[in-house]
């Protein structure tokens, strides 16, 4: 065995040991690493298998031994290159489905099978025999059809992996560049060597690629030990930018749209790549023809607007604007759109529960006091009349005791609906409590309020509620009226108290009638 062959075997053995060490080292520490380590373990194991088979090919003395160990090395070599590509893709955040990954491994698996059965079809090697001049372990080989396919595919895997790393170099921070450097050399060294081998530049009969794999192993070891590869990794921009639920748009210093994520396209279906480079406000107008005003002042903490959807519903969005800066230089704006629709719907629903009576759908006591205070203040400021009508459903307790609370609830809704239909937008109508209702009338004198109260009493008196098939129940109201005349300032509490006194007189006098408070009114105990 000559010295050149000894050197080749020695180098390949070093490559085998180093790759096997890498495989075992990462396997032992896999629980401390990210999931990408599993792909690297397979890659380094397959590379070690490739180198291991290459060693025994160079130590073979017969063509049968050469063919056997060639099959062994082909169990690792084609799969190793593709697994290296998958490793690079996963490292950069390019996630493939399991089906796509298996499709990438299809040709390497076919290569192994064809090499193992080459004597039956000669698709990979047309000729594979011991070199007649150099003797074993040197071989004379003639490429078959599949050898070309395998060679191109293997080289393409290395080349694509190299390009993917190169494209990410500029947008990767200095912290992670040592890792990228090791990945670049890990693909570049075997790629150049295999290219030279395919061109026939290297010595004939021996595959030089496993002789240089020890260098790639050293780069990986350096990266794992110094830059904490597998524990501290760059997360690809696409993963962050396109996986967040919020819409994100980036504008340059001239407020032109330069980037947007997938969530933005889902929020605004008309958004496409043709919008890039255009002024944002122009794009905004094209997306929403009846768009609400939009301000690009980053000082505005939040803007809220509603957008009609294709389904006919309304989506509510909030947008936050912040500066995009590099060092001390401002380079544009970042717009973050948050879908506020469900939260807005819940907010409206909670506000409804807070200010509306759940049974009748009209204002509740809380909303009445809040809005009535404003109405009275406005009336006092403008010296205009203001009146209140308190009304009570007659014999309501008896109805509940006789027919049940279900019928009582129907009576409350019946009265509320009739009165609501008789009012315009200027009155404030609310459920005051139990079977009592209250009506605040801005601009009404006591006489005008009395007239309205009498009209409502008559309408309720003339109506009835069907409680069962063929059975109807009559309903009546007792009403008390009190007000403040123009030029007088009074509190809401005093007016309500006087209206309550008038209501008490109406009930005590036989119910189903209207009474107006007067200073001389006599309350019957």
């Amino acid at each position: 065995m000559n010295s050149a062959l000894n050197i080749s075997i020695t180098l390949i053995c070093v490559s085998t040991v180093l790759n096997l060490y890498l495989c075992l080292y990462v396997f032992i520490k896999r629980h401390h690493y990210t999931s990408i380590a599993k792909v690297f373990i397979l890659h380094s194991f397959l590379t070690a298998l490739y180198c291991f088979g290459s060693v025994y090919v160079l130590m073979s003395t017969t063509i049968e031994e050469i063919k056997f160990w060639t099959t062994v090395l082909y169990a690792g070599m084609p799969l190793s290159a593709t697994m290296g590509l998958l490793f690079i893709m996963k490292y950069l955040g390019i996630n493939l489905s399991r089906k796509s990954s298996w499709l990438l491994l299809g040709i390497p698996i076919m290569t192994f099978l064809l090499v193992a059965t080459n004597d039956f079809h000669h698709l990979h090697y047309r000729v594979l025999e011991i070199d007649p001049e150099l003797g074993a372990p040197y071989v004379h080989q003639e490429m078959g059809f599949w050898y070309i396919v395998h060679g191109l595919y293997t080289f393409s895997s290395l080349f694509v992996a190299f390009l993917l790393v190169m494209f990410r170099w500029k947008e990767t921070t200095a912290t992670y560049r040592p890792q990228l450097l090791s990945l670049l050399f890990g693909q570049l060294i075997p790629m150049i060597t295999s290219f030279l081998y395919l061109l026939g530049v290297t010595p004939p009969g021996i595959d030089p690629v496993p002789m240089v794999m020890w260098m790639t192993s050293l780069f990986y070891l350096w990266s794992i030990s110094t830059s904490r590869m597998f524990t501290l990794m760059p997360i690809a921009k696409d993963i962050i930018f396109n996986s967040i639920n919020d819409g994100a748009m980036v504008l340059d210093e001239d407020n032109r749209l330069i980037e947007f994520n997938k969530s933005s396209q889902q929020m605004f279906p008309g958004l496409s790549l043709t919008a890039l480079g255009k002024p944002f406000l122009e794009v905004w107008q094209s997306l929403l023809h009846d768009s609400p005003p939009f301000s690009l002042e980053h000082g505005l903490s939040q803007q809220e607007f509603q957008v009609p959807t294709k389904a006919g519903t309304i989506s509510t969005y909030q947008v936050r604007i912040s500066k995009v800066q590099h060092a001390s230089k401002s380079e544009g704006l970042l717009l973050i759109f948050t879908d506020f629709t469900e939260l807005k719907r819940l907010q409206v629903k909670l506000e409804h529960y807070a200010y509306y009576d759940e049974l009748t759908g009209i204002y509740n006591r809380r909303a009445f006091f809040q809005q009535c205070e404003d109405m009275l203040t406005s009336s006092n400021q403008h010296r205009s009349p203001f009146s209140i009508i308190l009304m009570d459903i007659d014999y309501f307790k008896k109805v509940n005791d006789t027919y049940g609370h279900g019928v009582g609830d129907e009576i409350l809704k019946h009265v509320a609906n009739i009165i609501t239909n008789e009012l315009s937008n200027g009155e404030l109508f609310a459920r005051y409590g139990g079977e009592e209702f209250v009506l605040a009338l801005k601009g009404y004198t006591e006489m005008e309020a009395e007239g309205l109260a009498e009209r409502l009493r008559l309408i309720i008196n003339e109506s009835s509620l069907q409680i069962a098939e063929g059975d109807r129940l009559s309903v009546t109201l007792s009403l008390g009226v009190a007000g403040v005349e123009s030029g007088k300032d009074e509190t809401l509490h005093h007016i309500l108290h006087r209206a309550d006194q008038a209501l008490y007189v109406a009930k005590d006098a036989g119910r189903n009638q209207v009474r107006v408070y007067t200073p001389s009114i006599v309350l019957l105990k």
Side-chain angles (χ1 to χ4, degrees):
M1 189 176 291
N2 58 49
S3 59
L5 195 59
N6 285 334
I7 293 174
S8 298
I9 293 174
T10 301
L11 290 175
I12 298 176
C13 285
V14 172
S15 298
T16 304
V17 172
L18 285 177
N19 276 281
L20 193 58
Y21 173 78
L22 269 177
C23 177
L24 293 174
Y25 179 82
V26 177
F27 178 79
I28 292 170
K29 292 182 173 291
R30 66 189 184 281
H31 300 297
H32 304 287
Y33 294 154
T34 60
S35 59
I36 191 177
K38 297 178 182 178
V39 184
F40 183 80
I41 290 170
L42 285 173
H43 171 58
S44 56
F45 172 77
L46 290 169
T47 304
L49 182 61
Y50 168 36
C51 295
F52 178 77
S54 299
V55 168
Y56 277 92
V57 166
L58 295 181
M59 295 177 64
S60 300
T61 57
T62 66
I63 190 62
E64 287 75 18
E65 290 180 352
I66 291 174
K67 288 181 179 180
F68 173 79
W69 290 112
T70 298
T71 302
V72 172
L73 76 87
Y74 267 91
M77 183 258 287
L79 288 167
S80 172
T82 307
M83 195 59 66
L85 173 61
L86 291 174
F87 164 65
I88 295 294
M89 294 176 73
K90 193 169 181 64
Y91 177 88
L92 297 176
I94 305 172
N95 291 317
L96 296 180
S97 65
R98 181 170 295 183
K99 182 178 179 181
S100 299
S101 299
W102 278 109
L103 285 174
L104 282 178
L105 294 169
I107 289 181
I109 292 173
M110 180 62 70
T111 296
F112 167 71
L113 294 175
L114 290 178
V115 169
T117 59
N118 187 74
D119 287 343
F120 299 100
H121 47 71
H122 300 285
L123 289 175
H124 192 79
Y125 294 113
R126 290 175 58 196
V127 174
L128 181 65
E129 58 188 17
I130 295 176
D131 191 292
E133 297 181 2
L134 299 175
Y138 298 98
V139 295
H140 167 69
Q141 62 184 38
E142 294 181 11
M143 302 177 185
F145 163 73
W146 193 260
Y147 190 100
I148 304 300
V149 174
H150 151 71
L152 291 174
Y153 189 80
T154 301
F155 182 83
S156 298
S157 297
L158 295 169
F159 186 64
V160 170
F162 177 80
L163 289 180
L164 289 175
V165 178
M166 281 292 296
F167 289 153
R168 292 297 174 89
W169 181 267
K170 286 186 177 181
E171 58 189 74
T172 301
T173 60
T175 304
Y176 305 111
R177 285 190 174 180
Q179 298 181 15
L180 291 189
L181 192 64
S182 68
L183 296 178
L184 282 172
F185 280 103
Q187 303 301 313
L188 185 62
I189 292 172
M191 181 174 65
I192 293 177
T193 307
S194 63
F195 183 68
L196 295 175
Y197 177 57
L198 290 173
L199 290 179
V201 176
T202 59
I206 298 178
D207 180 5
V209 176
M211 300 181 197
V212 299
M213 295 305 292
W214 62 271
M215 288 188 280
T216 66
S217 303
L218 290 179
F219 276 110
Y220 287 141
L221 281 172
W222 167 73
S223 183
I224 293 172
S225 59
T226 61
S227 64
R228 295 164 58 194
M229 189 164 68
F230 303 144
T231 57
L232 183 64
M233 291 170 49
I235 301 176
K237 178 200 67 177
D238 288 343
I239 290 182
I240 298 176
F241 199 57
N242 288 314
S243 65
I244 58 176
N245 293 326
D246 290 341
M249 298 186 189
V250 182
L251 312 185
D252 64 10
E253 61 272 16
D254 297 319
N255 292 334
R256 291 173 300 193
L257 181 65
I258 58 174
E259 196 156 12
F260 55 83
N261 66 353
K262 292 179 181 179
S263 294
S264 297
Q265 287 183 296
Q266 294 172 356
M267 291 178 174
F268 309 102
L271 188 61
S272 65
L273 294 177
T274 58
L276 296 179
K278 295 181 179 179
F280 172 75
L281 294 180
E282 178 184 321
V283 174
W284 181 256
Q285 185 65 37
S286 67
L287 294 175
L288 304 171
H289 299 294
D290 298 323
S291 61
F294 196 102
S295 174
L296 287 174
E297 295 180 21
H298 69 274
L300 296 177
S301 58
Q302 288 184 349
Q303 298 179 64
E304 184 178 309
F305 54 91
Q306 293 183 325
V307 177
T309 65
K310 291 183 178 180
T313 58
I314 298 294
S315 292
T316 304
Y317 297 130
Q318 278 188 346
V319 59
R320 301 185 301 278
I321 303 175
S322 59
K323 284 185 177 181
V324 177
Q325 292 185 325
H326 179 69
S328 59
K329 180 182 177 182
S330 176
E331 297 185 347
L333 297 175
L334 174 64
L335 279 58
I336 300 294
F337 296 86
T338 302
D339 192 340
F340 198 59
T341 306
E342 185 62 21
L343 190 58
K344 189 68 176 178
R345 187 188 67 80
L346 292 175
Q347 180 182 341
V348 171
K349 192 173 182 179
L350 288 173
E351 288 178 355
H352 184 84
Y353 286 149
Y355 294 105
Y356 288 86
D357 179 59
E358 186 176 359
L359 178 64
T360 62
I362 62 176
Y363 284 120
N364 59 20
R365 184 185 182 98
R366 176 183 182 182
F368 172 78
F369 276 100
Q370 189 174 41
Q371 296 195 34
C372 197
E373 288 284 1
D374 294 337
M375 290 177 63
L376 181 57
T377 299
S378 177
S379 294
N380 289 335
Q381 289 174 349
H382 294 88
R383 299 300 178 182
S384 60
F386 182 86
S387 299
I388 282 181
I389 302 174
L390 271 179
M391 54 194 82
D392 188 278
I393 300 175
D394 295 329
Y395 305 110
F396 186 75
K397 183 177 183 304
K398 184 178 180 180
V399 171
N400 272 338
D401 293 341
T402 305
Y403 299 100
H405 290 278
V407 173
D409 289 346
E410 292 302 316
I411 289 176
L412 290 169
K413 292 190 286 185
H414 172 73
V415 171
N417 289 337
I418 291 176
I419 295 177
T420 300
N421 292 333
E422 293 298 319
L423 300 176
S424 60
N425 294 329
E427 299 91 355
L428 177 61
F429 180 49
R431 185 178 176 188
Y432 197 61
E435 69 273 22
E436 284 188 313
F437 296 89
V438 64
L439 186 58
L441 305 166
K442 182 180 178 182
Y444 280 68
T445 64
E446 281 185 340
M447 185 178 296
E448 291 171 332
E450 181 185 12
L452 176 59
E454 182 62 25
R455 180 161 63 87
L456 295 175
R457 184 192 68 80
L458 289 173
I459 293 172
I460 295 294
N461 186 59
E462 292 170 359
S463 67
S464 60
L465 177 68
Q466 183 171 331
I467 59 174
E469 188 174 350
D471 294 333
R472 303 190 72 85
L473 184 64
S474 296
V475 183
T476 61
L477 291 180
S478 297
L479 304 96
V481 179
V484 55
E485 293 296 333
S486 177
K488 296 181 181 179
D489 289 341
E490 288 196 79
T491 65
L492 180 59
H493 173 74
H494 289 148
I495 303 172
L496 283 169
H497 179 67
R498 293 201 301 270
D500 188 56
Q501 289 179 316
L503 173 60
Y504 188 90
V505 170
K507 292 169 68 175
D508 196 65
R511 291 181 167 83
N512 192 20
Q513 53 190 284
V514 177
R515 286 289 185 270
V516 180
Y517 175 84
T518 61
S520 60
I521 196 168
V522 178
L523 299 180
L524 301 177
K525 304 294 184 182

